[in-house]
Amino acid sequence: MTSGKARILVTGASGFIGRALVPLLLDAGYAVRAVSRSPGKFPSKEAETAILPPPDAPPPAFEALVAGCDHVVHLAAIAHAGRQQATAAYEAVNRRLAERLAEAAHGAIAGKFVFISSIRAQCGPVRQGIVRETDPAQPEDDYGRAKLAAEKAIASIFADTGKFTILRPVLVYGAGVRGNMGMLIRLARLPLPLPFAGLDAKRSLLDREALCGAILHAIREPRTNGGTYLVADAAPLSVAEIIAAIRMGLGRRTGLYPLPQSWLERLAELTGQSRRWQAVTGGLVASPLLLEATGWQPPDDTFRRIAESVRTERPKD
């Protein structure tokens, strides 16, 4: 263990967020124990590495994992599982694994347990009005319900100390992103005009670097102790604006034209993508004001940041 440095355990260290978080924590002066299910994919040679035990591993496996650490950031999760095994997978990894890790950390760490949950623990993929943490949590799928159950377990385990923070990020973007944002990038890369100019419902997005900053803020800021926070950039964008930002990053014209949304919805239905299309194009605006009140600053230049993240990914000539 490095003398004089607080050590942070980061699960999911080889994932999309972990690959950005680990270097940030190292640069901030922390020692890092980078934990993953995928050996050989760790983000930094400067970090100590370890393998994440399965959810049904005995307690000593988790106790050994957190031994010598001051803080824990739990990122590891399953975002997409096949329909047949989805409920069991989300329950095992997104709830039970988080609970096992929290149980081991409670008696071992002097600092914070930071859990990266999801907006899906708060609500479904589409929501009218502005979403706030004070709204009743009403997840609409197994993924969100497992995340909410993990939140409740962690809050119960750390109820005596209050040394935990739960973050509920919205859709995260950044270089190398996959999922729904990756789908939009693939669409924007097509060398033809796209019929999305009329898609004006606003959605909150979150820059990956900003999320990493929020995690570091939660570790350092006592005002976040015991709190649950939505994490989002300050200004939501429509799908049309997102596509425009991506194409700017690609050095191309916007190339959008309007087509009735009902036609697009029908096309999505015919191709079996109705739910995913709704999740990408429907409105969902989350307020980051509660976390902002503790001193975190949400980005207000989302359009530019999206363009820059895509520009970073462009192959060099």
Side-chain angles (χ1 to χ4, degrees), residues 299-316:
D300 59 4
D301 55 348
T302 304
F303 190 97
R304 182 193 65 79
R305 286 174 179 246
I306 291 174
E308 184 59 35
S309 70
V310 175
R311 188 176 296 116
T312 300
E313 281 191 276
R314 291 173 63 187
K316 301 296 186 292

Side-chain angles (χ1 to χ4, degrees), residues 109-305:
I109 65 173
K112 292 282 289 289
F113 189 98
V114 181
F115 177 54
I116 311 308
S117 183
S118 169
I119 184 68
R120 300 280 285 279
Q122 179 80 49
C123 63
V126 177
R127 182 73 172 267
Q128 295 293 323
I130 298 176
V131 181
R132 296 181 174 87
E133 300 88 338
T134 51
D135 300 333
Q138 297 177 325
E140 297 182 3
D141 56 23
D142 289 338
Y143 173 81
R145 285 186 282 270
K147 282 288 193 179
L148 181 61
E151 291 182 8
K152 292 179 178 179
I154 290 164
S156 176
I157 291 166
F158 285 92
D160 57 339
T161 67
K163 289 187 176 182
F164 71 95
T165 301
I166 293 166
L167 300 179
R168 292 175 175 167
V170 297
L171 182 64
V172 180
Y173 62 89
V177 69
R178 298 181 180 179
N180 288 340
M181 193 67 184
M183 180 187 73
L184 289 177
I185 293 173
R186 290 192 298 274
L187 283 172
R189 287 183 183 276
L190 295 175
L192 46 83
L194 294 173
F196 302 150
L199 298 178
D200 56 3
K202 299 288 187 177
R203 292 193 68 84
S204 290
L205 303 169
L206 177 60
D207 177 55
R208 176 173 58 174
E209 304 301 327
L211 173 56
C212 291
I215 293 169
L216 180 58
H217 173 75
I219 292 169
R220 290 175 164 175
E221 178 51 67
R223 286 179 292 176
T224 65
N225 286 7
T228 298
Y229 302 94
L230 296 175
V231 195
D233 288 1
L237 299 180
S238 68
V239 168
E241 291 169 323
I242 295 170
I243 295 291
I246 294 169
R247 286 191 158 174
M248 177 180 287
L250 294 171
R252 294 169 52 188
R253 294 181 179 179
T254 300
L256 297 178
Y257 65 92
L259 198 67
Q261 189 162 348
S262 60
W263 293 15
L264 296 172
E265 290 172 352
R266 179 58 177 161
L267 179 61
E269 182 180 347
L270 290 173
T271 57
Q273 295 293 319
S274 291
R275 294 189 64 180
R276 190 171 190 182
W277 180 252
Q278 183 185 42
V280 172
T281 63
L284 179 61
V285 177
S287 170
L289 289 178
L290 190 62
L291 185 59
E292 189 175 356
T294 70
W296 178 72
Q297 292 297 314
D300 59 4
D301 55 348
T302 304
F303 190 97
R304 182 193 65 79
R305 286 174 179 246

Side-chain angles (χ1 to χ4, degrees), residues 78-90 94 143:
I78 291 178
H80 304 285
R83 290 184 180 181
Q84 292 185 343
Q85 71 270 27
T87 301
Y90 294 143
N94 294 356
Y143 173 81

Side-chain angles (χ1 to χ4, degrees), residues 21-39:
L21 178 63
V22 169
L24 175 69
L25 296 178
L26 291 169
D27 288 345
Y30 294 95
V32 175
R33 181 175 295 163
V35 180
S36 172
R37 293 187 296 264
S38 303

